[in-house]
Amino acid sequence: MSRALALIDGNSVYCSCERVFDPKLAGVPVIVLSNNDGCAIVRTAEAKALGIRMGEPFFKIREMCRSQGVRVFSSNYTLYGDMSARTNAVYRDFSPRVEIYSIDESFLDLSDVRADRRVELARDLRATVRAWTGIPTCVGIGPTKTLANHIAKSVPDLDGVCDLTDPVAYDHWLCRISVSEVCGIGRASLAKLEALGVDTVADLRHLDPRPVRKAMTVVGERIIHELRGLACLPLELMPVQRRGCAVTRSFSSRASRIGRRWSRRSPRTRRASARSCGAVDSPPTMSVSSTTPASTTGPTRCARSPRLSCCRRRRATRSR
Ligand SMILES: [Mg+2]
């Protein structure tokens, strides 16, 4: 039976998680901001329609969000991680071979499923994930990871599922997808490919791999082989070993007392500890630190650690 991989992608997944817990957000423009509420990192279709761009600084759109009724959320990675675990548990009911690629993307091995049943199974999977977790998804199916792409999301007529293992659909879509949509091709690679006359994914597939290897290293050559249906990227079923992890937050208000700082830090420390203990290869050490902006002054605010502020105070007392 031919190889078939499905890439399942949560739609605007952080916003979708917020909608799960507040159904009044359905149909309302929603954005989720990056750490410390710096910029918009996830937008619903309604927010995109208002012209909010990916990575747009929040201070620039704050007034517009207020006037247009855009609901704005700080990111809540604990919630998103939990929802991701729930959706992956549903995926495992459909296939035992699941690679968790990112917080909202997973690959499923559907090679054992009959070719004429894959789309039906993908629709069933989408419906089940939506019913059990509330998260909307799209499913792209292809013979390799590079081909299991996101056409399903960008073409509404496909109703969230695109099967590129079907040769007719494969030829139809490849000449309609811009090469910039291919995973692994960034801005620098795009400029090099444009110089080689490559516009669509079909152009790239027919290119001689040797000049591409010169321009884009082995990564570019591998993409061409993948587009031709030759699998170069295996399914990684074991989670990658972590070298470290960090649980970081800013204080919501001034925390000048050492005791107060420690009390606010301890839940983060516990979470980091739980995360590292759950890892395959637990790191042997843990460090806790706090920093404050360099512009702040005074013994209690310029400390890199609680002790430093004490040292400075002591030094100041001695010099008097
Ligand atoms: Mg997504």
Side-chain angles (χ1 to χ4, degrees):
M1 212 171 270
S2 62
R3 190 174 190 251
L5 295 179
L7 174 60
I8 306 173
D9 182 17
N11 301 349
S12 309
V13 82
Y14 296 175
C15 297
S16 298
C17 290
E18 302 293 348
R19 278 178 168 167
V20 169
F21 293 93
D22 187 355
K24 286 181 192 158
L25 295 175
V28 173
V30 179
I31 61 171
V32 171
L33 303 175
S34 59
N35 285 338
N36 295 330
D37 296 347
C39 50
I41 51 167
V42 183
R43 307 147 297 151
T44 57
E46 296 84 359
K48 287 176 192 172
L50 290 172
I52 300 174
R53 287 173 298 156
M54 179 67 178
E56 188 131 34
F58 182 52
F59 76 88
K60 285 188 178 177
I61 54 172
R62 190 191 303 265
E63 277 312 311
M64 189 271 273
C65 288
R66 201 169 291 159
S67 62
Q68 297 287 336
V70 178
R71 294 290 306 274
V72 182
F73 290 86
S74 300
S75 44
N76 181 350
Y77 294 107
T78 310
L79 170 68
Y80 310 146
D82 183 79
M83 294 301 283
S84 173
R86 287 164 194 253
T87 51
N88 278 293
V90 180
Y91 302 158
R92 287 197 182 88
D93 283 348
F94 284 77
S95 171
R97 290 169 57 80
V98 176
E99 175 187 334
I100 301 171
Y101 184 68
S102 69
I103 198 163
D104 69 331
E105 293 172 309
S106 293
F107 286 102
L108 254 74
D109 191 349
L110 300 184
S111 304
D112 292 339
V113 180
R114 255 178 35 205
D116 59 345
R117 284 223 54 232
R118 283 175 194 148
V119 170
E120 190 188 331
L121 183 129
R123 293 200 194 290
D124 190 15
L125 173 58
R126 284 188 76 222
T128 309
V129 173
R130 187 68 191 255
W132 291 5
T133 67
I135 302 292
T137 53
C138 284
V139 185
I141 307 168
T144 64
K145 279 186 170 179
T146 304
L147 282 174
N149 61 19
H150 297 275
I151 302 169
K153 193 193 287 182
S154 50
V155 184
D157 289 349
L158 293 173
D159 197 22
V161 178
C162 179
D163 183 6
L164 290 181
T165 56
D166 174 5
V168 178
Y170 181 79
D171 289 337
H172 174 80
W173 288 114
L174 247 60
C175 58
R176 287 171 172 78
I177 313 167
S178 163
V179 76
S180 61
E181 298 291 317
V182 177
C183 182
I185 296 182
R187 209 175 294 171
S189 305
L190 195 61
K192 289 172 188 169
L193 288 173
E194 276 171 0
L196 292 169
V198 174
D199 188 27
T200 66
V201 180
D203 297 338
L204 181 59
R205 182 178 50 151
H206 293 122
L207 214 61
D208 182 357
R210 282 169 298 182
V212 176
R213 185 175 181 137
K214 269 189 187 168
M216 291 173 57
T217 71
V218 71
V219 176
E221 188 183 12
R222 205 157 44 197
I223 289 173
I224 292 182
H225 289 310
E226 283 255 322
L227 291 174
R228 291 176 181 178
L230 181 68
C232 301
L233 304 168
L235 208 61
E236 290 173 7
L237 302 174
M238 290 297 289
V240 177
Q241 289 190 352
R242 270 185 185 176
R243 288 186 163 183
C245 74
V247 178
T248 61
R249 287 294 184 282
S250 292
F251 296 129
S252 56
S253 58
R254 188 178 170 187
S256 53
R257 285 187 193 154
I258 292 171
R260 209 167 162 205
R261 280 189 207 165
W262 275 109
S263 68
R264 291 192 188 180
R265 250 188 317 215
S266 55
R268 313 283 169 225
T269 314
R270 275 200 301 275
R271 196 169 296 158
S273 169
R275 237 183 240 182
S276 61
C277 288
V280 179
D281 185 15
S282 307
T285 57
M286 172 179 282
S287 62
V288 181
S289 65
S290 66
T291 56
T292 55
S295 57
T296 56
T297 54
T300 55
R301 295 178 73 192
C302 64
R304 292 185 66 80
S305 75
R307 276 191 179 177
L308 187 57
S309 64
C310 304
C311 296
R312 286 193 178 174
R313 227 177 288 149
R314 247 182 268 136
R315 227 179 289 146
T317 318
R318 251 184 263 141
S319 61
R320 251 181 242 151

